[in-house]
């Protein structure tokens, strides 16, 4: 089985991919044919926020694929957007255009570099989300954050988890100069082993890639997605469905 090691305040923690797939499969089978909605249950959002804070307290340092990729003094933040779809909870992704300065044509989360006018990196994520996909969020929509990771460019990226509610990507008015496409992938599909591949990034090690959507999710975006699913969603929220049967 495959293991990924994260560095944290309590030392390295080995994560087993097979455990994630088994738990997600169990969740899917137990709730087959049943619509789950994050927004329908404040307990779900509270559990997510609590788990994110606990995870961040244990892992305050940078979490990133191994290897020396250089460092960049600039800061950036992204928003991992959770949405409610007709078929269940999903994560929203964007496909960057060929006109942007970096990561052309790659799948990403809404986000970008911190501006001097941004009071903090949360505001950066909120501002960039509005500029890129036309969704205006309040800070109350931010559930928490994951430990930071370095992009291949060396820029330190601070990932925040946000709840966008019910979103139809066909209704979004997004920035055509920055974004070529906006799409969602159901959480259950992101957990399905038939949609998970492994990419060998050389000195950075192996990281998962997700193929369930119209565009392949790979690189740091896939890595952050994996961290969220394995350490936050699976370990806390899914099991809460079994206990708090109200979704």
């Amino acid at each position: 089985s495959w293991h990924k090691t994260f560095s944290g305040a309590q030392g390295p923690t080995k994560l087993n991919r097979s455990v994630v797939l088994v738990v997600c499969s169990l969740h899917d089978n137990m709730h087959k044919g049943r619509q789950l909605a994050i927004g329908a249950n404040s307990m779900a959002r509270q559990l997510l926020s609590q788990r994110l804070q606990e995870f961040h307290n244990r892992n305050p340092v940078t979490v990133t694929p191994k290897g020396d990729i250089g460092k960049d003094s600039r800061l950036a933040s992204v928003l991992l957007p959770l949405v409610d779809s007709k078929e269940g909870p999903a994560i929203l992704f964007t496909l960057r255009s060929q006109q942007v300065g970096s990561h052309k044509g790659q799948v990403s989360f809404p986000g970008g570099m911190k501006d001097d006018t941004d009071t903090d990196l949360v505001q950066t994520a909120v501002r960039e989300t509005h500029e890129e996909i036309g969704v205006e969020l309040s800070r109350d929509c931010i559930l928490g954050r994951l430990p930071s990771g370095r992009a291949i460019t060396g820029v330190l990226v601070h990932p925040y988890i946000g709840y966008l509610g019910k979103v139809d990507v066909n209704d979004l008015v997004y920035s055509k100069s920055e974004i070529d496409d906006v799409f969602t992938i159901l959480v259950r599909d992101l957990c399905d082993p038939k949609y998970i591949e492994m990419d060998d990034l050389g000195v950075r090690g192996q990281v998962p890639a997700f193929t369930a959507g119209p565009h392949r999710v790979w690189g740091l975006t896939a890595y952050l997605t994996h961290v969220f699913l394995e350490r936050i969603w699976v370990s806390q929220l899914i099991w809460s469905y079994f206990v708090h049967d109200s979704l």
Side-chain angles (χ1 to χ4, degrees), residues 35-100:
Q35 179 179 345
L36 303 180
I38 303 168
N41 190 346
S42 60
M43 176 65 75
R45 296 193 299 277
Q46 291 171 8
L47 287 169
L48 273 173
S49 296
Q50 177 183 341
R51 183 57 181 162
L52 283 163
Q53 185 60 55
E54 291 172 351
F55 181 54
H56 183 65
N57 290 343
R58 292 196 306 271
N59 300 270
V61 298
T62 300
V63 173
T64 186
K66 62 184 179 181
D68 184 7
I69 58 175
K71 294 184 178 180
D72 189 316
S73 61
R74 295 175 300 167
L75 299 176
S77 66
V78 297
L79 185 78
L80 189 159
L82 290 171
V83 302
D84 285 327
S85 75
K86 294 180 180 179
E87 299 179 71
I91 295 178
L92 181 146
F93 301 90
T94 66
L95 180 69
R96 292 172 65 82
S97 76
Q98 297 295 328
Q99 302 177 49
V100 294

Side-chain angles (χ1 to χ4, degrees), residues 50-210:
Q50 177 183 341
R51 183 57 181 162
L52 283 163
Q53 185 60 55
E54 291 172 351
F55 181 54
H56 183 65
N57 290 343
R58 292 196 306 271
N59 300 270
V61 298
T62 300
V63 173
T64 186
K66 62 184 179 181
D68 184 7
I69 58 175
K71 294 184 178 180
D72 189 316
S73 61
R74 295 175 300 167
L75 299 176
S77 66
V78 297
L79 185 78
L80 189 159
L82 290 171
V83 302
D84 285 327
S85 75
K86 294 180 180 179
E87 299 179 71
I91 295 178
L92 181 146
F93 301 90
T94 66
L95 180 69
R96 292 172 65 82
S97 76
Q98 297 295 328
Q99 302 177 49
V100 294
S102 61
H103 308 293
K104 300 176 188 291
Q106 295 182 13
V107 170
S108 65
F109 293 125
M113 306 303 300
K114 184 177 184 294
D115 283 353
D116 292 338
T117 56
D118 293 336
T119 56
D120 55 25
L121 287 161
V122 174
Q123 184 176 346
T124 301
V126 170
R127 174 182 55 77
E128 288 283 350
T129 299
H130 183 230
E131 292 177 0
E132 290 185 8
I133 64 173
V135 175
E136 192 166 1
L137 299 173
S138 69
R139 296 176 73 98
D140 293 339
C141 295
I142 305 299
L143 302 178
R145 59 164 296 186
L146 296 174
S148 306
R150 286 200 181 274
I152 193 66
T153 57
V155 173
L156 189 61
V157 179
H158 298 262
Y160 293 89
I161 312 300
Y163 173 62
L164 274 59
K166 294 182 179 179
V167 172
D168 185 341
V169 295
N170 296 314
D171 294 335
L172 295 179
V173 180
Y174 56 87
S175 171
K176 298 297 178 65
S177 63
E178 297 181 85
I179 304 298
D180 275 349
D181 194 15
V182 181
F183 62 99
T184 60
I185 303 178
L186 291 171
V187 169
R188 68 166 181 260
D189 289 341
L190 290 167
C191 292
D192 191 326
K194 70 182 178 183
Y195 298 126
I196 300 175
E197 301 176 347
M198 297 305 298
D199 283 347
D200 188 346
L201 301 184
V203 296
R204 303 190 77 193
Q206 287 192 324
V207 297
F210 302 95

